[in-house]
Amino acid sequence: AQSVTQLGSHVSVSEGALVLLRCNYSSSVPPYLFWYVQYPNQGLQLLLKYTSAATLVKGINGFEAEFKKSETSFHLTKPSAHMSDAAEYFCAVSDGANFGNEKLTFGTGTRLTIIP
Amino acid sequence: GAVVSQHPSWVICKSGTSVKIECRSLDFQATTMFWYRQFPKQSLMLMATSNEGSKATYEQGVEKDKFLINHASLTLSTLTVTSAHPEDSSFYICSANPGGTQYFGPGTRLLVL
């Protein structure tokens, strides 16, 4: 079984400050890991994904995440927060066994607030 | 990226009626689609996996007779909430995978009065 834990249901940062959203996973097989962003009343948009290639993954909107097997972590970062980054962020894991047709398990989400 | 659409984007219905939600893959074919449910300020919970040409696979605790899924073509899956009740009010989101990554539809908000 796989699981994802997102530490901090709410995170507030000042505009221009570093964004750090934490995600730890549990998986019995090499995981595929994803970060999605959700704006109010919308579906999910893929920010980035890790699929066993480079451990540092760069995504859209200046976000990146680093896969650390020893820490079972996949934290999301952005050097400088922008007001438009305010949204809900979800970390998700799959076993990648069926190359995308497997089920995703989501974390509980982190709501990011940007302080002007 | 791949585009997944949903229709309608929102629906209000009376208790006891049935509501059909469509999920379409616009620029790719999808043999598998996923249906999720999201309550306010909560995460997505997988309801079922929709398989083209065969029966859907439901997650534990999801009533298959209440949430009917039909995947009749490679670009369309439908979720029908039968005899809807207020507790079925939620945000329903579908996803499909064009090869390695799941892409999500914009969601359908259902309000049952």
Side-chain angles (χ1 to χ4, degrees), chain A residues 37-44 87-88 90 111, chain B residues 6 8-10 38 40-41 90-93 105-110:
Chain A
V37 60
Q38 184 181 34
Y39 296 100
N41 298 311
Q42 296 187 27
L44 274 68
E88 188 87 19
F90 292 96
R111 182 169 297 278
Chain B
Q6 282 184 240
S9 55
W10 58 271
Q38 184 181 32
K41 298 183 179 181
S90 189
F91 195 49
Y92 293 87
I93 306 175
T108 297
R109 185 161 302 281
L110 170 64

Side-chain angles (χ1 to χ4, degrees), chain A residues 34-37 44-46 88-90 104 106, chain B residues 102 104:
Chain A
F34 306 81
W35 275 101
Y36 286 89
V37 60
L44 274 68
Q45 180 182 6
L46 179 69
E88 188 87 19
Y89 291 81
F90 292 96
L104 282 176
F106 284 89
Chain B
Q102 283 191 35
F104 289 79

Side-chain angles (χ1 to χ4, degrees), chain A residues 8-21:
Chain A
S9 58
H10 291 86
V11 171
S12 296
V13 302
S14 298
E15 189 176 15
L18 171 71
V19 175
L20 171 60
L21 304 183

Side-chain angles (χ1 to χ4, degrees), chain B residues 28-41:
Chain B
F28 64 97
Q29 294 182 329
T31 56
T32 302
M33 290 183 174
F34 301 90
W35 286 97
Y36 294 84
R37 182 174 182 177
Q38 184 181 32
F39 290 106
K41 298 183 179 181

Side-chain angles (χ1 to χ4, degrees), chain B:
Chain B
V3 181
V4 177
S5 71
Q6 282 184 240
H7 179 79
S9 55
W10 58 271
V11 57
I12 301 173
C13 69
K14 293 182 179 180
S15 185
T17 60
S18 294
V19 174
K20 180 184 286 187
I21 302 170
E22 295 183 347
C23 177
R24 293 182 184 273
S25 56
L26 297 185
D27 50 1
F28 64 97
Q29 294 182 329
T31 56
T32 302
M33 290 183 174
F34 301 90
W35 286 97
Y36 294 84
R37 182 174 182 177
Q38 184 181 32
F39 290 106
K41 298 183 179 181
Q42 294 187 27
S43 188
L44 280 72
M45 299 299 296
L46 180 66
M47 299 175 65
T49 303
S50 173
N51 304 299
E52 188 269 336
S54 63
K55 293 182 179 180
T57 304
Y58 290 82
E59 295 301 300
Q60 189 174 8
V62 178
E63 300 176 57
K64 60 181 180 181
D65 293 331
K66 181 168 186 62
F67 298 99
L68 299 179
I69 291 174
N70 186 298
H71 196 151
S73 79
L74 288 172
T75 59
L76 174 64
S77 174
T78 60
L79 169 68
T80 300
V81 183
T82 62
S83 186
H85 288 93
E87 58 266 29
D88 298 323
S89 299
S90 189
F91 195 49
Y92 293 87
I93 306 175
C94 70
S95 72
N97 164 50
T101 301
Q102 283 191 35
Y103 290 89
F104 289 79
T108 297
R109 185 161 302 281
L110 170 64
L111 177 60
V112 184
L113 302 176

